[in-house]
């Protein structure tokens, strides 16, 4: 497939930046920094456009904080100006990326998501005897910037777009360059990681000819009927991930098992006849709901935000066979 060109005018335009600002502000207009940006929307966007055209754009310092649910991770919240830029970068490029991507991946893509990924995995569980469940070790922290650029160069040929990608990857001018790692919490990080792992999708489905495959970001599984064949696929995948993507499999998390044991995937365990919520996932949902209820009681969020949280939890639980659980849990709510 030919590389896409003439993308810079689509990225660096006032109208694209305006749409990006509205997308980045969606559901967050009550936050003071975002409200101030929107009050000065035109001069803010013109300044950002000038920096892009002159090649002087530099990312700002993110706010970093640690979460420990389900595991300890450092989240980087970019300044709103940079989040606008991220949306402006991804918006025009998303259709270009989408044309290259395999249908077996489900993260960050319109019309996809966790529910579609679970439905795909459930179909594969029903149709095969065994699964090979794999994961990438410290995926976002381990992705190399040169691999991201190498991947983008396979897709786009616009040098200014590639310059902007390098600038986003490099981060604030005050940061010491490492050449490794993507900040968790950034739209561009999600897409960069997904594009790098899309190379794995093509390798598995086209070179290894394993069509029984599903991936949601760095969580993926291959299916088959013969154990030796899946062991062979594991060796090929490990070689590709280490040699071509410069990443490593999380070896302690590799699982080669009969589907009768249940496939652990996206917080659920999938069997041929049923889908169950994994206990740790259920505990996280309960803690999340309790925290939102307390926030509402203390006036930190309104009832609409609380209702949205409840709907989100119910929708997630509905991906499993949890009718009785949901009825009992939310009785009287």
């Amino acid at each position: 497939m030919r590389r896409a060109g003439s993308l810079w005018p689509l990225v660096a335009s006032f109208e694209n930046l305006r749409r990006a600002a509205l997308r980045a502000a969606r559901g967050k207009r009550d936050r003071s920094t975002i409200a101030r940006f929107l009050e000065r929307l035109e001069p803010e966007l013109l300044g950002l456009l000038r920096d892009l055209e002159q090649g002087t754009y530099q990312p700002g310092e993110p706010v970093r904080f640690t979460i420990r649910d389900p595991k300890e991770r450092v989240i980087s919240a970019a300044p709103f100006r940079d989040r606008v830029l991220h949306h402006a970068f991804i918006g025009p490029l998303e259709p270009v990326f989408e044309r290259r991507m395999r249908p077996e991946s489900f993260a960050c893509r319109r019309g996809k998501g966790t529910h579609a990924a679970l439905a795909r995995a459930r179909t594969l569980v029903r149709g095969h005897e065994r699964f090979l469940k794999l994961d990438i070790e410290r995926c976002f922290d381990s992705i190399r910037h040169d691999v991201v650029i190498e991947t983008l160069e396979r897709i786009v040929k616009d040098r200014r777009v590639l310059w902007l990608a390098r600038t986003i990857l490099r981060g604030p001018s005050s940061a010491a360059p490492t050449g490794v790692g993507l900040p968790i919490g950034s739209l561009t990080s999600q897409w960069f990681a997904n594009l790098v792992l899309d190379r794995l999708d093509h390798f598995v489905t086209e070179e290894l000819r394993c069509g029984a495959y599903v991936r949601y970001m760095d969580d993926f599984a291959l299916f088959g009927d013969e154990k030796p064949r899946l062991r062979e696929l594991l060796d090929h995948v490990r070689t590709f991930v280490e040699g071509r993507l410069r990443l490593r499999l999380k070896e302690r998390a590799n699982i080669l098992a009969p589907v009768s044991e249940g496939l652990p995937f996206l917080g659920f365990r999938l069997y041929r006849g049923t889908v169950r919520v994994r206990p740790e996932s259920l505990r996280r949902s309960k803690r999340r709901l309790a925290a939102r209820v307390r926030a509402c009681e203390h006036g930190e969020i309104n009832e609409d935000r609380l209702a949205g949280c409840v709907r989100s939890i119910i929708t997630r639980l509905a991906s499993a066979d949890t009718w009785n659980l949901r009825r009992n849990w939310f009785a009287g709510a």
Side-chain angles (χ1 to χ4, degrees):
M1 188 177 291
R2 296 177 60 183
R3 295 188 299 159
S6 303
L7 296 171
W8 183 253
L10 302 179
V11 173
S13 74
F14 183 86
E15 183 55 29
N16 182 45
L17 291 173
R18 188 190 68 81
R19 289 194 300 266
L22 298 180
R23 287 196 300 271
R26 194 173 297 155
K28 304 169 187 172
R29 289 170 176 262
D30 55 340
R31 299 182 186 179
S32 58
T33 54
I34 297 176
R36 287 196 296 271
F37 189 99
L38 295 179
E39 286 174 1
R40 290 177 33 83
L41 185 61
E42 184 171 341
E44 290 281 5
L45 297 184
L46 288 173
L48 182 54
L49 181 60
R50 181 182 62 250
D51 288 349
L52 291 174
E53 291 289 8
Q54 294 178 355
T56 57
Y57 166 76
Q58 285 294 329
E61 290 286 346
V63 175
R64 296 182 176 88
F65 56 94
T66 301
I67 63 171
R68 295 177 173 82
D69 190 10
K71 59 186 177 182
E72 184 169 308
R73 293 180 294 174
V74 177
I75 307 298
S76 295
F80 185 70
R81 185 177 192 259
D82 292 340
R83 280 178 270 162
V84 171
L85 186 279
H86 296 167
H87 279 273
F89 180 83
I90 294 298
L93 293 174
E94 184 176 348
V96 177
F97 296 155
E98 183 64 36
R99 287 195 293 271
R100 295 294 190 108
M101 299 183 78
R102 292 288 312 179
E104 293 86 359
S105 72
F106 291 84
C108 306
R109 301 174 67 186
R110 297 178 189 272
K112 299 274 190 173
T114 57
H115 300 298
L118 287 165
R120 163 76 174 170
R122 194 170 189 179
T123 298
L124 294 171
V125 164
R126 288 169 174 165
H128 297 85
E129 294 296 326
R130 297 179 180 275
F131 66 82
L132 173 62
K133 171 69 169 55
L134 304 173
D135 198 351
I136 301 294
E137 181 80 40
R138 298 177 59 84
C139 180
F140 279 77
D141 291 338
S142 302
I143 288 179
R144 293 171 54 116
H145 297 177
D146 57 349
V147 175
V148 174
I149 295 301
E150 176 190 323
T151 302
L152 288 172
E153 287 175 338
R154 294 165 173 251
I155 303 171
V156 301
K157 59 184 178 181
D158 193 311
R159 284 183 291 180
R160 285 185 291 183
V161 169
L162 294 170
W163 161 78
L164 184 54
R166 290 187 181 93
T167 302
I168 293 170
L169 285 166
R170 191 164 51 244
S173 56
S174 60
T178 64
V180 180
L182 304 177
I184 299 175
S186 162
L187 175 66
T188 48
S189 293
Q190 294 175 34
W191 271 100
F192 290 158
N194 213 15
L195 288 168
V196 168
L197 293 175
D198 175 66
R199 294 170 63 178
L200 173 64
D201 302 340
H202 286 273
F203 175 72
V204 169
T205 57
E206 296 167 7
E207 295 190 38
L208 299 183
R209 298 188 179 279
C210 176
Y213 171 74
V214 61
R215 180 178 67 82
Y216 190 94
M217 198 52 75
D218 60 328
D219 203 0
F220 58 102
L222 298 80
F223 297 80
D225 297 326
E226 301 297 332
K227 193 172 183 178
R229 169 59 175 161
L230 288 174
R231 287 192 182 280
E232 179 187 350
L233 290 174
L234 171 58
D235 290 339
H236 286 304
V237 168
R238 182 187 291 113
T239 299
F240 181 86
V241 166
E242 293 180 359
R244 302 289 289 277
L245 305 185
R246 327 277 177 81
L247 297 169
R248 298 184 66 84
L249 294 180
K250 190 185 295 182
E251 297 291 348
R252 65 186 179 278
N254 293 350
I255 304 173
L256 173 52
V259 296
S260 58
E261 293 187 9
L263 168 70
F265 190 60
L266 302 181
F268 297 88
R269 192 170 287 275
L270 285 65
Y271 300 87
R272 279 181 172 161
T274 188
V275 177
R276 297 175 184 168
V277 184
R278 299 176 72 182
E280 58 269 31
S281 182
L282 186 58
R283 287 193 293 270
R284 286 197 299 271
S285 293
K286 287 183 175 180
R287 287 197 296 267
R288 180 186 170 206
L289 179 60
R292 295 298 189 275
V293 168
R294 287 194 299 271
C296 187
E297 291 173 346
H298 293 143
E300 297 169 9
I301 63 173
N302 58 31
E303 291 184 356
D304 288 341
R305 291 274 298 277
L306 176 59
C309 174
V310 171
R311 286 193 298 272
S312 174
I313 291 174
I314 290 174
T315 300
R316 176 166 174 75
L317 292 177
S319 296
D321 299 314
T322 56
W323 166 248
N324 288 331
L325 183 150
R326 284 176 281 137
R327 183 182 61 184
N328 295 333
W329 194 4
F330 291 99

